[in-house]
């Protein structure tokens, strides 16, 4: 996909398959729509009056308007003018992108980003526009016998004034990189678990390191994981014949850009369970296929590192991924087993389905060696988080005020929201075990919180935040598929740390 700006002042002379303009409710035309209306002798106003109420997300194509060079003018509904904001803008750009993909258009020009919003800069709007386009153009096709035709949309132009073009271009570049990162995250999530194995995730990291010169990948096999004494991670992995992988993908910014490049690294830890059957504490069969998405935390780390590398962010970022399957077998964990984590703390496994925390805890201990400025783990950790927050917000757990504020703010800016949930010490009591330092479950009440409490026991050496993405990483039902979240949030946070 190619993203660029167009600064030609005369909109009606732009030759393109589709030229998009915004319309507010009550028949209020945006500046660009008004300009086209004048060039087209009132054609836009007439249609708006007759049959376009500008509901947010609405989209109407006007073909061959006299006096306008574009083959189509696309009217985009923006809702009430006084409520117009970044979310409405993104929604309208999404409607345009979906229209272009559905209609098989090769190119489009949008004028929407030029409309001011109270809660986003032009750069942020351009970023959001590019993200919407690349999201709409993503299509899963890896495992169909006949390949579906790829979307034809190849060129997306954003119309701005000459003075503002540089800001828009910066946003488009960011949006394109984040979009490509999300596409990778979605593809890994969508791939079936017999293809997307721990080995496959490791190979993906190695391939990224080959493709981007700032990235270095290291994939530790079972022998090295054993040498590191990751007894908790290994106890989950050994239930499956599929070999585990411990992946470290490191972005070191170009030496030329020092300054903030010298700061301590930010570490992202992603849960990489490529299939979660529950193990001996077997899950019910209903929708168990969706547990192929249990590696979406890992996929979001890989997608984020891809975007970080493409943008050459001036900050060291390290991705850590413990990856394995969780299956029942003669070598699998059993309820009652006590295992010793890399930290030395012993864990009583009361439910083998609480495996995410068992693999993450060793990765969190491993992260200590980087003396990180912050560690953020990303995991499809608990069904309880889906019950608490549904599919809108990801759960955010942290006691570090700066991380909480930074992630909340980044979530708002990126339209990839998180909700701060509690992590009081009082919940830690639920993890008491009669036979080990800690139990791996705390019972049904506050299930997401006790999972976070468990992880917190392994994070005393650095500022830490946990994102539970169980409700936001994929969609179920007819639209079943990975969403690419929370790559936009993580990228916004990282870019904010570099600013
Ligand atoms: N991967 C699941 C969490 C999950 C379940 C995410 C459903 C999305 C939808 C995790 O490994 C798990 O099984 N968690 C258990 C924990 C429980 C045994 C304490 C859960 O949520 O039921
Ligand atoms: Mn599980
Ligand atoms: Zn799981």
């Amino acid at each position: 996909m190619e993203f660029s700006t167009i600064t030609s002042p005369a909109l009606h002379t732009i030759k393109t398959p589709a030229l998009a303009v915004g319309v507010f409710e009550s028949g209020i035309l945006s500046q660009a729509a008004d300009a086209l209306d004048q060039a087209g002798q009132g054609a836009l106003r007439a249609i708006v009056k007759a049959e376009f109420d500008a509901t947010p997300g609405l989209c109407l194509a006007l073909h061959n308007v006299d006096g306008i060079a574009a083959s189509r003018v696309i009217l985009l509904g923006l809702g009430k003018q006084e409520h117009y904001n970044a979310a409405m803008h993104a929604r309208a750009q999404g409607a345009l992108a979906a229209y272009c993909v559905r209609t098989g258009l090769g190119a489009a020009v949008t004028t929407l980003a030029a409309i001011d919003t109270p809660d986003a800069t032009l750069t942020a709007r351009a970023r959001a526009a590019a993200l919407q386009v690349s999201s709409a153009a993503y299509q899963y096709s890896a495992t169909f016998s006949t390949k579906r035709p790829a979307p034809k949309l190849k060129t997306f132009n954003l119309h701005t004034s000459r003075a503002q073009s540089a800001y828009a271009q910066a946003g488009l570049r960011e949006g394109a990189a984040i979009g490509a990162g999300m596409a990778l995250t979605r593809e890994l999530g969508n791939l079936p678990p017999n293809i997307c194995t721990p080995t496959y995730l490791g190979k993906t990291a190695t391939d990224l390191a080959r493709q981007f010169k700032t990235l270095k990948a290291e994939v530790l096999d079972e022998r090295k994981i054993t040498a590191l004494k990751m007894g908790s991670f290994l106890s989950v992995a050994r239930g499956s014949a599929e070999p585990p992988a411990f992946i470290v993908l490191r972005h070191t910014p170009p030496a030329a850009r020092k300054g903030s490049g010298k700061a301590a690294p930010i570490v992202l830890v992603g849960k990489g369970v490529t299939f979660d059957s529950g193990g001996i504490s077997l899950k019910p069969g209903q929708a168990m296929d969706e547990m192929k998405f249990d590696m979406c935390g890992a996929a979001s780390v890989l997608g984020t590192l891809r975007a970080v590398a493409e943008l050459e962010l001036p900050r060291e970022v390290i991705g850590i991924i413990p990856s394995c399957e969780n299956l029942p077998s003669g070598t699998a964990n059993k309820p009652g087993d006590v295992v010793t984590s890399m930290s030395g703390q012993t864990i009583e496994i009361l439910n083998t389905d609480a495996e995410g925390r068992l693999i993450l805890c060793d990765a969190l201990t491993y992260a200590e060696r980087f003396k990180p400025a912050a560690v953020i783990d990303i995991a499809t950790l608990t069904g309880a988080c889906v019950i608490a927050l549904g599919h809108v917000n990801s759960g955010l757990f942290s006691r570090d005020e700066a991380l909480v504020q930074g992630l909340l703010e980044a979530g708002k800016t990126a339209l990839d929201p998180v909700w701060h949930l509690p992590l009081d010490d009082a919940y830690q009591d639920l993890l008491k075990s009669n036979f080990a330092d800690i139990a791996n479950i705390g019972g049904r009440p506050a299930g997401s919180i006790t999972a976070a409490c468990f992880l917190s026991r392994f994070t005393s050496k650095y500022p830490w935040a946990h994102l539970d993405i169980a409700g936001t990483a994929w969609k179920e039902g007819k639209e079943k598929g990975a969403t690419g979240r929370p790559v936009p949030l993580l990228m916004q946070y990282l870019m904010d740390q570099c600013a």
Side-chain angles (χ1 to χ4, degrees):
M1 187 81 61
E2 201 179 297
F3 295 99
S4 54
T5 56
I6 292 190
T7 54
S8 134
L11 281 175
H12 67 282
T13 63
I14 297 174
K15 283 208 178 69
T16 172
L19 176 56
V21 294
V23 178
F24 297 103
E25 281 177 20
S26 317
I28 302 169
L29 302 191
S30 64
Q31 221 175 56
D34 187 52
L36 283 190
D37 184 60
Q38 285 179 29
Q41 262 105 55
L44 274 68
R45 264 205 173 79
I47 284 283
V48 166
K49 194 165 174 216
E51 59 184 77
F52 191 75
D53 66 5
T55 305
L58 203 63
C59 172
L60 181 69
L62 314 181
H63 291 255
N64 307 316
V65 181
D66 275 345
I68 296 174
S71 344
R72 292 170 192 73
V73 174
I74 313 280
L75 303 182
L76 295 171
L78 305 181
K80 292 194 170 41
Q81 190 170 27
E82 63 270 29
H83 295 160
Y84 187 63
N85 61 12
M88 294 291 178
H89 165 262
R91 182 158 172 197
Q93 298 283 23
L96 169 65
Y99 173 87
C100 293
V101 169
R102 190 164 8 100
T103 317
L105 303 185
V109 178
T110 182
T111 60
L112 239 53
I115 306 173
D116 278 329
T117 46
D119 52 349
T121 60
L122 173 62
T123 300
R125 290 194 298 273
R127 188 192 304 135
L131 256 188
Q132 289 296 332
V133 170
S134 79
S135 283
Y138 170 81
Q139 192 184 61
Y140 179 80
S141 69
T143 45
F144 290 97
S145 58
T146 39
K147 296 297 163 213
R148 303 190 202 173
K152 295 202 183 70
L153 191 58
K154 291 284 172 287
T155 315
F156 188 79
N157 293 308
L158 211 143
H159 185 264
T160 60
S161 69
R162 197 176 299 271
Q164 296 201 299
S165 167
Y167 296 102
Q169 262 162 13
L172 288 175
R173 173 174 174 267
E174 291 164 358
I178 299 167
M182 283 177 85
L184 172 63
T185 300
R186 290 170 76 181
E187 185 71 3
L188 291 170
N190 291 336
L191 279 170
N194 59 329
I195 293 177
C196 186
T197 58
T199 307
Y200 189 91
L201 290 179
K203 188 180 170 307
T204 303
T206 312
D207 287 349
L208 283 174
R210 209 164 284 141
Q211 193 182 347
F212 295 96
K213 61 184 189 312
T214 68
L215 292 179
K216 252 192 75 190
E218 206 183 345
V219 182
L220 311 185
D221 61 8
E222 182 162 1
R223 198 177 50 82
K224 290 195 176 131
I225 299 166
T226 307
L228 284 163
K229 298 203 164 73
M230 296 187 174
S232 186
F233 173 32
L234 271 177
S235 78
V236 178
R238 76 173 174 227
S240 168
E242 201 60 60
F246 191 88
I247 303 162
V248 183
L249 184 59
R250 187 171 188 151
H251 162 81
T252 309
R257 297 190 199 166
K258 290 210 188 91
S260 62
K262 281 187 201 152
I266 297 172
V267 173
L268 306 177
V269 178
K271 173 178 173 183
V273 174
T274 58
F275 187 74
D276 179 13
S277 72
I280 297 294
S281 312
L282 195 64
K283 286 181 180 297
Q286 173 81 22
M288 203 204 268
D289 66 289
E290 291 182 20
M291 282 299 113
K292 73 171 182 176
F293 294 117
D294 213 16
M295 35 56 70
C296 282
S300 75
V301 170
L302 292 173
T304 299
L305 264 292
R306 192 199 184 284
V308 163
E310 185 168 327
L311 293 176
E312 297 189 353
L313 284 198
R315 181 75 184 249
E316 190 169 19
V317 182
I318 302 172
I320 302 180
I321 294 167
S323 181
C324 67
E325 291 184 332
N326 184 26
L327 292 183
S329 78
T331 51
N333 275 332
K334 303 173 291 298
D337 280 2
V338 173
V339 299
T340 304
S341 65
M342 184 181 180
S343 74
Q345 296 176 84
T346 59
I347 302 163
E348 185 185 16
I349 299 172
L350 291 173
N351 189 319
T352 66
D353 197 11
E355 86 298 339
R357 59 199 83 177
L358 292 175
I359 74 169
L360 288 168
C361 68
D362 283 339
L364 290 169
T365 300
Y366 185 88
E368 289 173 3
R369 69 185 55 203
F370 300 114
K371 302 195 171 22
V375 175
I376 304 168
D377 79 70
I378 306 102
T380 48
L381 203 63
T382 62
C385 193
V386 190
I387 303 301
L389 299 176
H391 307 290
V392 177
N393 283 285
S394 303
L396 162 65
F397 300 83
S398 178
R399 290 199 198 92
D400 187 273
E401 198 48 41
L403 265 171
V404 170
Q405 285 316 318
L407 288 165
L408 282 175
E409 205 48 51
K412 279 189 197 137
T413 307
L415 305 173
D416 185 1
V418 291
W419 191 261
H420 189 200
L421 291 164
L423 201 56
D424 308 37
D425 276 333
Y427 294 101
Q428 295 278 356
D429 286 348
L430 296 165
L431 294 172
K432 278 200 172 125
S433 161
N434 285 354
F435 305 105
D437 299 345
I438 182 172
N440 83 325
I441 54 166
R444 273 167 60 80
S448 303
I449 301 173
T450 52
C453 283
F454 180 95
L455 296 178
S456 77
R457 302 275 188 112
F458 301 84
T459 62
S460 58
K461 301 269 164 62
Y462 44 69
W464 163 76
H466 159 58
L467 297 174
D468 194 330
I469 58 166
T472 53
W474 76 89
K475 289 184 179 162
E476 27 190 273
K478 230 178 79 129
E479 285 186 276
K480 194 192 286 183
T483 60
R485 291 179 67 181
V487 172
L489 159 75
L490 293 169
M491 281 308 296
Q492 188 64 46
Y493 175 78
L494 292 170
M495 292 190 305
D496 290 347
Q497 297 311 300
C498 294

